[in-house]
Amino acid sequence: AQSVTQLGSHVSVSEGALVLLRCNYSSSVPPYLFWYVQYPNQGLQLLLKYTTGATLVKGINGFEAEFKKSETSFHLTKPSAHMSDAAEYFCAVSDTGANNLFFGTGTRLTVIP
Amino acid sequence: DSGVTQTPKHLITATGQRVTLRCSPRSGDLSVYWYQQSLDQGLQFLIQYYNGEERAKGNILERFSAQQFPDLHSELNLSSLELGDSALYFCASSTGGGLVLDEQFFGPGTRLTVL
């Protein structure tokens, strides 16, 4: 069965520093992978997704993620953190039939001025 | 504002009771999705409806049911409520019927507290 592991429930970075949020998945076949962001008191917003094709995926707000099959990873990065990036980030993987989504436990990002 | 509306914003009820959560999708969207976010279970996909028909099913309990009406609004019914059902319930909508391929737009959620 598909599952997602997000390493680090809390990550703090300084403003302007690199953001790296880790996500590893388990899947017997190439999955579809997602990153969502949840701002306080709001619903989720899709940052980016990998379905097929190029393994480096660019998303909104300067975020990108790279699908690495050999490492079963889909880590999220942003070169320079902004205060507005403070939020909770969820990695998700779909099942093979694209009929279910499995979410990680989330990583809360704090940006220190 | 995503354009997805959910009512009520907050709901407090007792164990054993039944509640109905309502969702109105964005104008023109045919799919509605329901999610549960709780401290114990994390974020879980529950169910998807597309143009009135069930399209995908996730980790939805048998005590829970949903439907989508001809005007495309959806209701999530939760019955025989337990303390563990306390959670934030999100609705999302999308234009097409693909759980994976279509971007979903999320509502603000309904916070359910079961006492």
Side-chain angles (χ1 to χ4, degrees):
Chain A
Q2 281 76 8
S3 68
V4 173
T5 302
Q6 289 185 242
L7 293 175
S9 58
H10 291 86
V11 170
S12 294
V13 300
S14 298
E15 191 175 15
L18 171 71
V19 176
L20 171 60
L21 304 183
R22 300 178 186 275
C23 173
N24 288 89
Y25 66 90
S26 66
S27 174
S28 56
V29 295
Y32 298 141
L33 294 157
F34 308 80
W35 275 101
Y36 287 86
V37 61
Q38 185 178 26
Y39 297 103
N41 301 313
Q42 293 186 30
L44 276 72
Q45 182 180 8
L46 180 68
L47 275 178
L48 49 80
K49 67 182 177 186
Y50 168 79
T51 54
T52 58
T55 56
L56 182 62
V57 181
K58 294 187 184 298
I60 61 171
N61 302 337
F63 285 94
E64 62 183 35
E66 186 171 9
F67 170 57
K68 291 187 176 180
K69 185 178 177 181
S70 62
E71 298 177 8
T72 61
S73 69
F74 191 57
H75 301 331
L76 182 71
T77 60
K78 182 174 180 178
S80 176
H82 295 168
M83 296 299 296
S84 60
D85 294 328
E88 187 140 22
Y89 293 80
F90 293 91
C91 182
V93 60
S94 71
D95 66 350
T96 53
N99 291 316
N100 202 346
L101 272 177
F102 301 92
F103 290 86
T105 50
T107 298
R108 184 169 299 278
L109 176 67
T110 300
V111 182
I112 303 166
Chain B
D1 184 356
S2 67
V4 178
T5 60
Q6 292 186 246
T7 56
K9 275 193 162 184
H10 301 277
L11 196 49
I12 301 174
T13 188
T15 55
Q17 296 298 305
R18 172 189 167 96
V19 297
T20 298
L21 312 184
R22 182 187 169 104
C23 169
S24 293
R26 295 186 317 157
S27 177
D29 283 358
L30 298 179
S31 274
V32 171
Y33 310 78
W34 287 98
Y35 294 84
Q36 179 196 60
Q37 185 175 31
S38 67
L39 289 176
D40 291 342
Q41 301 290 331
L43 188 58
Q44 295 191 100
F45 164 67
L46 296 179
I47 198 163
Q48 175 199 1
Y49 277 80
Y50 175 73
N51 204 20
E53 300 288 328
E54 182 182 307
R55 177 62 68 98
K57 204 167 187 176
N59 304 322
I60 189 166
L61 299 173
E62 285 194 13
R63 299 185 286 108
F64 296 1
S65 64
Q67 56 184 327
Q68 186 179 28
F69 294 86
D71 67 352
L72 300 176
H73 91 272
S74 177
E75 293 181 356
L76 179 66
N77 299 295
L78 315 176
S79 61
S80 303
L81 285 167
E82 302 174 0
L83 296 177
D85 297 328
S86 296
L88 196 51
Y89 291 85
F90 287 108
C91 168
S93 72
S94 69
T95 306
L99 171 65
V100 169
L101 297 180
D102 290 305
E103 181 172 357
Q104 299 175 35
F105 295 86
F106 283 74
T110 292
R111 183 168 294 282
L112 173 67
T113 302
V114 182
L115 301 175

